Amino acid sequence: MALKIGVIGTGAIGIEHIRRLNSKLVGSKVVAVTDINLEGAQRVADQYGDIVVHQNFQDVVSDPSVDALVVTSWGPAHEEQVLAAIKAGKPVFVEKPMATTAAGAKNIVDAEMAFGKKLVQVGFMRRYDAGYKMLKNVIDSGKIGQPLVLHCAHRNPTVPTAYVTSMAINDTAIHEIDCLHWLINDEWASAQVIMPRQTSHTHDKLKDPQILILTTQTGIRVVLEIFVNCQYGYDIQCEVVGETGIAKLPEPMSIQMRSEEKLSNTILNDWKVRFIDSYDVELQDWIDSTLKGEVNGPTAWDGYLACVTSDACVKAQESGAIEPITTVTRPNFYN
Ligand code: NAI
Ligand code: ISE
């Protein structure tokens, strides 16, 4: 039986996910789409021939032929769309961030608990990434002792002009905010954001680069450089310094070349390619668990926890101070 899916948002990642759901993965079929840019949605639907284009997201949610939703619209639209899916009792995969504030994310958690069954999975695909999983195995094995310091970087070649300072946190660093505390089995305690000398490739609404310093409840320190106009490529770095050794996220596989008096490796330049396998594994897991009536991946609670931290980081961007991160207690519903 194929899971019949309605997709809300047919931009960059919407197009990618529709392609994998229809042509690559097993057990899914996109049957309906929408976007505020209806022409864009129609163009995507025309590529497949048997996808209905609805005028708005409410019509996708209530379409009786849609079993489950994939929300790939802009972050600020996610909360309302996920809440509509929960109200209709339909499973929903929502791209990160689940909401742009902790208050918005809490509304989703409350609605899901009131419904009485988990329906939401959040698109934190790095938890499915083979490299991060290998790194986690090393840390959990104790081979480098207790983690003490993490040196990380999240670099994009460029971003669209609509991308502003707060998005360095709630659109970009949100990946590290989620996956690093999972990686080191700890919870966040405080955040500070330092603005170093700015690149000439940014504009007045975007501070770039930024240095985010996160401290965990046991005192592990994460130094994360967020640099979204780095020009040279899409580059994700993560090095964990432990008591007895260091473990580093593997580089994506690439051919080493000796040519024209140079020894070189290619650096990727797009998240679509860098994490292509992780997106595939993540969505296949979502399809399989949804068909069984379960949520196996990152839950609405994980989405909420990430938003609690991202709120503190956005506050730290503005204050320049070390901001505490509120401790929230996981309800039994999410255990
Ligand atoms: P995009 O700007 O290319 O596409 C977003 C689409 O949503 C646009 O077509 C826009 O017209 C549509 N949209 C906006 N508001 C809407 C609404 N209220 N109802 C219906 N459609 C609406 O952006 P992109 O890169 O595709 O990002 C979409 C989401 O996916 C974002 O939340 C982003 O953070 C996330 N994302 C996640 C990635 C990951 O690595 N997991 C990678 C890229 C994006
Ligand atoms: C984008 O939305 C993503 O999620 C990418 O993975 C990230 O690298 C980029 O900074 C975000 O804008």
Side-chain angles (χ1 to χ4, degrees):
M1 186 187 86
L3 187 68
K4 296 193 267 13
I5 297 164
V7 176
I8 301 170
T10 52
I13 204 164
I15 290 172
E16 285 288 301
H17 284 348
I18 291 169
R19 182 185 50 74
R20 54 173 54 86
L21 290 166
N22 269 0
S23 316
K24 205 171 182 189
L25 306 181
V26 179
S28 59
K29 172 84 192 80
V30 175
V31 295
V33 294
T34 195
D35 194 292
I36 47 169
N37 170 5
L38 279 171
E39 281 174 19
Q42 190 63 58
R43 265 196 307 278
V44 175
D46 288 345
Q47 287 173 26
Y48 296 91
D50 51 358
I51 296 181
V52 176
V53 178
H54 284 298
Q55 294 298 304
N56 53 52
F57 80 84
Q58 290 91 344
D59 289 352
V60 179
V61 173
S62 60
D63 182 336
S65 70
V66 167
D67 303 325
L69 285 310
V70 167
V71 173
T72 43
S73 56
W74 292 328
H78 291 178
E79 179 190 344
E80 184 186 24
Q81 296 169 349
V82 172
L83 286 173
I86 295 172
K87 195 167 172 206
K90 295 192 179 180
V92 53
F93 174 92
V94 56
E95 262 308 333
K96 43 59 59 177
M98 184 174 83
T100 49
T101 61
K106 184 72 172 26
N107 289 336
I108 293 175
V109 162
D110 289 345
E112 191 179 48
M113 290 205 298
F115 183 77
K117 182 174 184 289
K118 277 184 233 149
L119 292 173
V120 181
Q121 178 165 332
V122 184
F124 287 134
M125 80 298 178
R126 289 197 192 178
R127 294 190 187 211
Y128 289 92
D129 179 69
Y132 275 104
K133 285 203 276 192
M134 284 162 74
L135 188 55
K136 183 164 176 57
N137 282 342
V138 169
I139 294 166
D140 290 349
S141 73
K143 282 184 189 144
I144 61 163
Q146 289 298 330
L148 307 172
V149 178
L150 275 69
H151 302 283
C152 304
H154 189 150
R155 304 192 186 111
N156 292 51
T158 56
V159 283
T161 44
Y163 184 109
V164 294
T165 296
S166 59
M167 290 173 76
I169 302 297
N170 56 34
D171 198 64
T172 294
I174 194 98
H175 283 294
E176 277 84 5
I177 288 172
D178 173 68
C179 91
L180 297 183
H181 87 93
W182 159 82
L183 185 74
I184 55 181
N185 307 303
D186 208 342
E187 300 300 333
W188 301 122
S190 70
Q192 185 182 13
V193 181
I194 294 166
M195 304 295 179
R197 179 173 171 171
Q198 298 290 286
T199 171
S200 58
H201 295 284
T202 191
H203 53 83
D204 61 354
K205 300 244 170 14
L206 171 60
K207 295 244 171 50
D208 190 41
Q210 304 183 22
I211 309 289
L212 175 52
I213 302 175
L214 286 165
T215 306
T216 68
Q217 288 178 1
T218 69
I220 302 170
R221 190 61 72 98
V222 174
V223 181
L224 166 63
E225 173 204 313
I226 309 152
F227 187 12
V228 294
N229 285 290
C230 80
Q231 310 295 308
Y232 74 85
Y234 182 77
D235 195 7
I236 304 298
Q237 299 288 326
C238 179
E239 181 180 84
V240 182
V241 180
E243 293 168 295
T244 58
I246 290 176
K248 198 167 186 304
L249 184 70
E251 293 288 344
M253 197 161 57
S254 87
I255 297 295
Q256 194 180 66
M257 298 245 300
R258 282 173 166 78
S259 153
E260 297 173 342
E261 299 172 1
K262 282 198 198 91
L263 177 62
S264 62
N265 284 84
T266 301
I267 297 177
L268 299 174
N269 70 358
D270 197 332
W271 48 262
K272 296 183 192 98
V273 185
R274 170 64 180 84
F275 287 109
I276 190 164
D277 297 333
S278 323
Y279 297 122
D280 288 348
V281 179
E282 167 195 53
L283 277 178
Q284 188 63 64
D285 185 45
W286 176 70
I287 295 163
D288 296 344
S289 51
T290 302
L291 285 170
K292 286 190 231 148
E294 296 165 5
V295 175
N296 195 32
T299 61
W301 184 257
D302 295 308
Y304 169 58
L305 267 189
C307 289
V308 169
T309 297
S310 92
D311 272 10
C313 296
V314 171
K315 196 166 170 205
Q317 282 181 321
E318 287 153 13
S319 70
I322 299 174
E323 297 291 348
I325 296 168
T326 318
T327 306
V328 283
T329 310
R330 185 184 292 268
N332 281 337
F333 184 82
Y334 290 104
N335 281 337

